[in-house]
Amino acid sequence: MTNNFADHKKTQTEKVDPDSALRILSFAIEQSPVTTVITDLSGNIVFVNPKFTETTGYTLEEAIGKNPRILNTGHTPSSEYAVLWNTILSGQNWHGIFQNKKKNGELYWESAVISPVKDRDGNITHFLAVKEDITERKRIEDELKENASELEIFNQQLEKAIAQANEMAVQAVQAEAMIRERENDLNEAQRLAHVGSWRYDFATGKTTWSLEMFRIFGRDPSHGVPSWYEMRRNIHSDDWQSFISALRGATTDGKSYELEIRAKYTDGSILWLLLNGGKAPEESRWVSGTIQDITARKRAEEVLRESEVRFKSAFQYSAIGMALISPQGNWLKVNSRICEIVGYSEVELLTKTFQDITHPDDLTADLEQVRQVLAGEIESYKMEKRYIHKKGHFVWVLLAVSLVKDGDGAPLYFISQIEDITERKRTEKFSEVLYEISKAVYLTANVNELFKSIHNILLEVIAGNNFYIALLTNNGRTLSFPYSKDEIDHGDWPNIDVDDSQSLTAEVLNLKQSLFLNETQLHDRYMKGWDKVTLGTRPKCWLGIPLLIKGEAIGIMAIQDYHNSAAYSQEDIALLELAASQIAIAVERKKSDDALRTSEERYRAVFDSASDAIISADGAGNIVDWNLGAERIFGYSEIEVHGQPITMLLPERYQAGHLTGMARIQANGEKHVIGKTVELEGRRSDGCEFPLEISLSEWQVDGKTAFAAVIRDITERKRLKEALQQQASTDELTGIFNRRHFQHLAHSELKRAARQKHPLAIVLIDIDHFKAVNDTLGHAAGDQVLLAFTKICQRNIREIDVFARFGGDEFALLLPETNPQQAFIVVERIRMAITAQSIDLDGNLVSISISSGISNLSDEDETFDNLLSQADQALYRAKETGRNNVVQYIEL
């Protein structure tokens, strides 16, 4: 630098394309010869570049999440660390030197510049450390100090030798050579530290640069120190005035300075430089300073800022709800999706706690999980729970929670990810409801009891406080109301004449199809003069479902709401239509049963026409009467069975027991099976067995005992029950087990394995980037991918293994009698099979991959939830490390 302060024309810095700059920055950080470390506010490492791994011996996985104290040798006093933290927390840069320890125990010296990284609001979000291994420089400096001591001794000897003229000349030459050597050592030290130095001498007007200054600016030393015109051209125009002011302050007022500026390298790229300098403290004939290239650090700061912007964007526009919650439960920050899920605005939500909107039945379990995380017993948790929507209804969510702590381990806030699973839960609940309705049809004693049972079942999933069933009587001319429940009109409703009625009930009967009217549509009906559109108090909305038998209406099931005009969805209507079909069948069946019990005169007709088998036998158990129902069920004609023992209708394994029971009845009158309905197996004429339901009765004829048996073929009922159980336990799309049945089987298998001390593994599998398939090719293509994936997995597992779909693209695998090594081999085999096979989606070949997490039973007290959580953590690590990967949980 020279002292020629001439004015020169300002030049404009070349602009760099942002994408090119980002690529250059990424490359620079990865290839930087200095160590770059980024930590969060707690001091935990969130980023290191490859130079860090090369210098310290710690891998990226070993470093992330750790505190830089892993390098501490204990030689640096705590007071120096206190100064460091006070400096960077105040927003200033800290410069210093540490002696640290590598992973292998080797000691080394580092020069470090630690700077706070701020967001656009000026808040500190992270800390950036740019560090350089100066072990070699320290060695050189120590040698310099040692050489300096030797030089002092030499000077003392030189003074003694002044009298010796001949020796003085020789030693003068030697001294000059040593000075040149010291200058070379200094230049080498600056090169290693990437710090250049300069000095301006007032007496001579001469500026000198160290060799490192030339290297920093990319200037050939043979061209000499640049003129002020050249410096003006190379320094960024926005920084030139600050640069000149700092030099003037040092020159005229003796002020020291520290300044960051931008300069242009010889190839046109932009350098960031840290300038330090000032007037000599004891002599006033010169000023000096140092310049350090901090381009890598500035680029790392820019990358961090861009990363924060991306995080904020991902947080705000995520497809799932995301929130930051205080340890006390207050909502601190929420995105738009969580506001959509619970119905509150961001402003409203930030005034509440999560406890305020959690369903009371779920709150205790949620708070226990929070307690365990705060106590350090678990790192995170997942659970299904219900939020109370602003409009009052419940919203089912899948909640994933983890805790963020400060540098001292104190809790700062929870990060919550919230996925709306209301529709999935509704589907699961509908399956359960249909199963319960089917059971009620067979288990209730009469129609009114059936209506009450179905109403109570529907209340589990639908706002159905106001519910009634109307049946046609009097040859279809009159509607009666055998069952009704209403929160306003508590009395029984009178019968109505169908032909003269303008009610919606009569309209549904005539239409023979479901009818839903909201408040506006109902108002239109009233305005047309229909004074009896609905029964009782006017509702906000009304839904009627016809009860049909062979296409003919025998009645109606209706439900209405006094508070919400849109209380019922299309899914609700579909469920009620299924329920109505069951009710219609049950009504007809119950009517037949009632007629059978109450009409003695019609006994023979019913006996012959009954679909059930009705068989009578004498006291010895020989068949004396046999209806057409028995002929249809067993395949024997009445002639074939008359006088034959009734045991011919039973499999051989039941015959001895039947004879023993008959003997007890005849001997002591024991009748524990008389009057009861029991289930057992029957045998047809072709020898095949089938499930039946039998009711026995006994009476006396002329002092002799006679028996009657009503037998029902329950094959279809059993099949329906098994089908419903199958529906409740399997995934509808893939046909494999669903989450609930997997959990049931896993609990049993886990108890067995723990009791017998046998190995067991649980695996969670996600299809990588499955959402992209749905988004680009459609959900039908996504379903084909799920089916293909399921088949590949089934081909690679054993019969004893339990395979299930948890939902979406998440699957689970239970491997009994499988140790960690065997589990890894199985899952890796599946992964390779998936990767090797392309899936044909209507001419589009799609390749997929999977990420898998494995947990293994290691303690007989291990719970299923713990194993599932461990597998989930391992799955998260598999995704985090690049996907298409298998990771075992080993104290991650």
Side-chain angles (χ1 to χ4, degrees), residues 497-764:
D497 190 322
V498 175
D499 295 332
D500 296 335
S501 174
Q502 294 179 322
S503 70
L504 296 176
T505 304
E507 184 176 348
V508 170
L509 286 172
N510 292 328
L511 291 174
K512 299 179 183 178
Q513 63 184 25
S514 302
L515 178 64
F516 172 75
L517 297 176
N518 59 27
E519 185 175 15
T520 301
Q521 294 166 325
L522 286 171
H523 180 72
D524 291 342
R525 298 293 181 99
Y526 289 119
M527 292 300 294
K528 291 177 181 177
W530 294 18
D531 58 347
K532 293 183 180 180
V533 172
T534 57
L535 303 175
T537 305
R538 293 183 180 182
K540 293 277 188 180
C541 65
W542 187 90
L543 172 62
I545 312 290
L547 306 180
L548 301 175
I549 293 293
K550 296 181 180 179
E552 295 298 323
I554 64 169
I556 176 177
M557 176 177 66
I559 189 168
Q560 56 192 18
D561 195 283
Y562 295 115
H563 311 289
N564 184 1
S565 178
Y568 310 114
S569 65
Q570 289 298 320
E571 291 82 1
D572 296 333
I573 295 174
L575 175 66
L576 289 172
E577 287 175 342
L578 289 172
S581 66
Q582 297 287 335
I583 292 173
I585 294 171
V587 167
E588 289 299 294
R589 173 177 164 240
K590 297 293 185 183
K591 284 181 179 179
S592 298
D593 291 345
D594 290 343
L596 182 62
R597 286 191 298 268
T598 58
S599 179
E600 290 292 351
E601 296 79 10
R602 299 167 60 192
Y603 169 76
R604 195 70 236 174
V606 172
F607 179 87
D608 289 333
S609 63
S611 59
D612 296 336
I614 302 176
I615 305 169
S616 60
D618 59 21
N622 297 318
I623 298 171
V624 296
D625 213 349
W626 179 267
N627 75 340
L628 294 176
E631 184 173 333
R632 286 192 299 271
I633 290 174
F634 289 97
Y636 294 105
S637 67
E638 184 175 8
I639 296 174
E640 291 175 298
V641 298
H642 187 78
Q644 298 296 320
I646 200 170
T647 53
M648 68 178 294
L649 306 178
L650 301 175
E652 291 183 2
R653 60 182 179 278
Y654 291 124
Q655 293 179 5
H658 171 76
L659 294 175
T660 302
M662 292 292 292
R664 282 200 301 267
I665 293 174
Q666 294 174 344
N668 51 32
E670 182 178 338
K671 303 177 182 179
H672 68 281
V673 296
I674 301 300
K676 296 182 179 180
T677 301
V678 296
E679 293 184 6
L680 47 80
E681 296 289 314
R683 185 176 64 183
R684 305 187 199 275
S685 61
D686 60 3
C688 70
E689 297 181 4
F690 67 100
L692 60 80
E693 184 182 79
I694 182 170
S695 298
L696 291 175
S697 59
E698 176 195 26
W699 68 91
Q700 297 290 322
V701 178
D702 298 329
K704 295 181 179 180
T705 301
F707 300 94
V710 177
I711 300 174
R712 176 169 297 162
D713 183 348
I714 59 174
T715 302
E716 185 61 22
R717 191 172 85 191
K718 287 279 190 179
R719 187 200 61 77
L720 177 61
K721 182 177 180 181
E722 290 173 359
L724 291 171
Q725 290 174 339
Q726 176 79 0
Q727 182 180 4
S729 64
T730 60
D731 176 63
E732 182 179 359
L733 174 64
T734 61
I736 61 176
F737 293 134
N738 60 19
R739 184 189 190 106
R740 182 173 61 181
H741 196 60
F742 178 90
Q743 290 175 331
H744 172 72
L745 296 176
H747 279 293
S748 300
E749 188 61 30
L750 182 60
K751 291 179 181 178
R752 184 196 65 78
R755 183 173 62 253
Q756 299 178 359
K757 300 187 183 301
H758 286 186
L760 176 143
I762 288 180
V763 185
L764 287 181

Side-chain angles (χ1 to χ4, degrees), residues 61 872-882 885 887 892:
E61 290 77 10
D872 189 59
Q873 292 177 54
L875 173 60
Y876 178 82
R877 177 60 60 87
K879 292 180 178 179
E880 187 181 54
T881 54
N885 197 6
V887 173
L892 293 175

Side-chain angles (χ1 to χ4, degrees), residues 270-289:
I270 298 298
L271 298 173
W272 274 97
L273 304 175
L274 175 64
L275 279 56
N276 284 279
K279 203 168 186 178
E282 296 180 358
E283 298 177 290
S284 60
R285 70 182 184 86
W286 52 267
V287 291
S288 64

Side-chain angles (χ1 to χ4, degrees), residues 229-374:
Y229 174 78
E230 290 177 288
M231 290 300 296
R232 176 68 178 268
R233 189 173 59 188
N234 290 332
I235 293 178
H236 196 288
S237 59
D238 293 344
D239 299 335
W240 175 255
Q241 193 58 47
S242 300
F243 171 66
I244 291 299
S245 298
L247 289 181
R248 284 175 177 166
T251 304
T252 59
D253 302 327
K255 294 180 180 178
S256 60
Y257 61 87
E258 179 176 291
L259 181 68
E260 292 182 359
I261 67 169
R262 287 160 290 177
K264 192 189 307 180
Y265 195 67
T266 53
D267 64 1
S269 61
I270 298 298
L271 298 173
W272 274 97
L273 304 175
L274 175 64
L275 279 56
N276 284 279
K279 203 168 186 178
E282 296 180 358
E283 298 177 290
S284 60
R285 70 182 184 86
W286 52 267
V287 291
S288 64
T290 62
I291 295 180
Q292 183 181 7
D293 184 351
I294 60 170
T295 305
R297 190 192 82 194
K298 298 296 288 186
R299 288 173 176 171
E301 291 174 354
E302 182 63 26
V303 169
L304 184 59
R305 282 192 293 271
E306 292 176 358
S307 177
E308 288 177 346
V309 170
R310 288 194 296 269
F311 171 77
K312 289 179 180 178
S313 177
F315 179 92
Q316 184 61 34
Y317 301 107
S318 173
I320 63 173
M322 298 187 70
L324 305 183
I325 301 176
S326 74
Q328 294 74 36
N330 300 94
W331 301 89
L332 303 177
K333 185 176 181 62
V334 298
N335 70 349
S336 56
R337 179 56 182 144
I338 183 60
C339 294
E340 295 172 5
I341 290 173
V342 299
Y344 290 97
S345 68
E346 181 178 0
V347 173
E348 292 172 326
L349 207 53
L350 296 184
T351 65
K352 298 181 178 294
T353 65
F354 80 83
Q355 296 94 320
D356 294 335
I357 64 171
T358 295
H359 192 290
D361 293 346
D362 300 334
L363 184 57
T364 300
D366 199 356
L367 291 175
E368 173 58 21
Q369 297 272 43
V370 169
R371 183 199 67 76
Q372 292 181 34
V373 172
L374 290 174

Side-chain angles (χ1 to χ4, degrees), residues 93-104:
N93 298 328
W94 180 90
H95 308 263
I97 294 175
F98 293 114
Q99 186 180 36
N100 284 336
K101 182 171 63 178
K102 299 182 180 180
K103 182 179 178 181
N104 63 7

Side-chain angles (χ1 to χ4, degrees), residues 83-95 113-118 124 127-128 258 260 297:
V83 171
L84 183 157
W85 277 103
N86 289 335
T87 301
I88 61 178
L89 287 175
S90 67
Q92 302 179 47
N93 298 328
W94 180 90
H95 308 263
V113 178
I114 302 178
S115 307
V117 180
K118 302 177 182 178
I124 297 174
F127 298 106
L128 171 69
E258 179 176 291
E260 292 182 359
R297 190 192 82 194

Side-chain angles (χ1 to χ4, degrees), residues 43-94:
N44 297 320
I45 296 172
V46 299
F47 173 83
V48 297
N49 70 344
K51 186 64 177 177
F52 175 91
T53 299
E54 176 186 334
T55 300
T56 66
Y58 286 96
T59 65
L60 175 67
E61 290 77 10
E62 292 172 330
I64 295 301
K66 300 296 190 303
N67 194 284
R69 286 193 295 269
I70 62 176
L71 305 175
N72 198 344
T73 62
H75 297 165
T76 303
S78 58
S79 59
E80 187 167 342
Y81 285 112
V83 171
L84 183 157
W85 277 103
N86 289 335
T87 301
I88 61 178
L89 287 175
S90 67
Q92 302 179 47
N93 298 328
W94 180 90

